[in-house]
């Protein structure tokens, strides 16, 4: 896992497959997503490096999960067990996050079929949709709710990828963390892939494009580091 500093308060925790984000919060951090399973040590090690402390001493205040897919919730249970942060998630994906349900199957477009096979070759569909280790959210939220972090954020319901997909909008800094509602490929924003409800996902993309974000960050692919709103609006027109 690699750490990529995006602003003086925001870092991307990146594997070759998926991104999670760390937001500085006092002498600790809040996390947006937790990457795939078994990344807890890497996350704490990297954040310890930032905080100048041993990984055992890293303070994680709160985790917000953008949706219930296991590549975003994978290390949440282990981080909770290690450092005890509160977990916040949207009502709509809570059954996935509590591992009571599998994710709804995506309605794949023709071009997504080979990509879906490439992501987890040979793994049966049930396993691909299976939840990660269960986490019980301490707080369930809906669109319009806020995260009461040192740097406050508004939560935006962006259904489509999953029913409860939720983006995080730091309005005063114009920073958007879109989860999988948007992705980027070769530094171009695209509609996130593998959507349970593609029409809803397109609507959600259009709403996010109207925010006029400066920095936009995604679950998969590189962030768009400046004037992201213009790029998103361009793509939204072609959806
Ligand atoms: Zn996803």
């Amino acid at each position: 896992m690699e750490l990529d500093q995006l602003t003086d308060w925001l870092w991307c925790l990146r594997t070759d497959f998926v991104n999670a984000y760390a937001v500085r919060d006092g002498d600790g951090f809040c996390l947006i997503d937790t990457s795939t399973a078994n990344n807890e040590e890497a996350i704490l090690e990297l954040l310890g490096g930032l905080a100048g402390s041993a990984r055992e001493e890293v303070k994680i205040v709160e985790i917000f999960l953008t949706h219930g897919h296991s590549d975003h919730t994978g290390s949440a249970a282990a981080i909770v067990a290690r450092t005890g942060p509160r977990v916040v998630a949207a009502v709509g994906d809570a059954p996935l996050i509590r591992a009571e349900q599998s994710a709804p199957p995506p309605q794949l477009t023709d071009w997504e079929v080979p990509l879906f096979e490439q992501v987890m070759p040979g793994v049966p569909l049930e396993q691909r949709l299976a939840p990660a280790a269960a986490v019980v959210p301490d707080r369930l939220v809906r669109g319009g709710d806020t995260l009461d972090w040192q740097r406050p954020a508004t939560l935006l319901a962006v259904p489509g990828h999953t029913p409860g997909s939720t983006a995080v909008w730091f309005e005063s800094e114009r920073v958007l963390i879109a989860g999988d509602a948007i992705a980027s490929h070769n530094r171009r924003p695209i509609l996130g892939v593998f959507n349970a409800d593609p029409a809803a996902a397109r609507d959600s993309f259009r709403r996010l494009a109207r925010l006029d974000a400066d920095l936009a960050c995604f679950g998969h692919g590189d962030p768009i580091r400046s004037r992201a709103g213009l790029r998103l609006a361009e793509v939204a027109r072609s959806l």
Side-chain angles (χ1 to χ4, degrees):
M1 178 174 276
E2 285 173 14
L3 195 63
D4 182 7
Q5 180 159 17
L6 299 173
T7 71
D8 59 0
W9 55 273
L10 177 67
W11 291 263
C12 180
L13 297 154
R14 181 199 305 267
T15 69
D16 54 11
F17 173 61
V18 67
N19 304 322
Y21 294 88
V23 177
R24 193 183 286 285
D25 199 82
D27 57 352
F29 299 91
C30 293
L31 291 179
I32 299 173
D33 291 337
T34 61
S35 198
T36 46
N38 305 315
N39 272 308
E40 61 279 5
E41 296 299 333
I43 291 171
L44 294 173
E45 179 83 39
L46 288 170
L47 296 182
L50 287 179
S53 59
R55 68 178 144 188
E56 294 74 26
E57 278 144 33
V58 173
K59 189 163 134 198
I60 311 276
V61 180
E62 195 160 271
I63 297 173
F64 177 71
L65 297 170
T66 60
H67 64 293
H69 282 159
S70 59
D71 53 337
H72 295 253
T73 64
S75 293
I79 292 172
V80 169
R82 285 281 304 270
T83 68
R86 279 161 40 95
V87 175
V88 182
V91 175
D93 274 17
L96 276 68
I97 290 162
R98 289 194 295 250
E100 295 162 355
Q101 268 179 23
S102 288
Q107 295 180 37
L108 299 177
T109 57
D110 289 348
W111 73 266
E112 286 176 311
V113 173
L115 186 65
F116 192 63
E117 187 51 37
Q118 218 178 305
V119 173
M120 288 189 244
V123 176
L125 186 64
E126 318 80 76
Q127 263 167 270
R128 292 162 187 244
L129 302 174
V135 191
V136 178
D138 299 285
R139 180 184 168 211
L140 291 178
V141 291
R142 296 174 192 277
D145 287 346
T146 53
L147 291 172
D148 306 319
W149 296 353
Q150 195 182 49
R151 197 169 295 275
T154 304
L155 299 172
L156 308 171
V158 286
H161 181 68
T162 62
S165 283
T166 301
V168 183
W169 175 228
F170 295 92
E171 184 171 10
S172 26
E173 292 86 3
R174 310 211 75 72
V175 172
L176 171 67
I177 316 278
D180 283 357
I182 308 176
S184 76
H185 183 64
N186 294 336
R187 301 189 182 270
R188 283 176 51 87
I190 57 169
L191 180 67
V193 298
F194 311 153
N195 298 310
D197 182 340
R202 286 192 293 272
D203 279 349
S204 292
F205 187 109
R206 289 185 195 104
R207 275 187 287 113
L208 293 180
R210 285 199 289 271
L211 292 172
D212 194 23
D214 187 40
L215 165 62
C217 305
F218 320 114
H220 302 273
D222 291 327
I224 309 264
R225 291 172 187 255
S226 67
R227 307 182 77 193
L230 290 175
R231 312 278 307 279
L232 296 177
E234 212 175 280
V235 175
R237 283 194 290 276
S238 68
L239 288 179

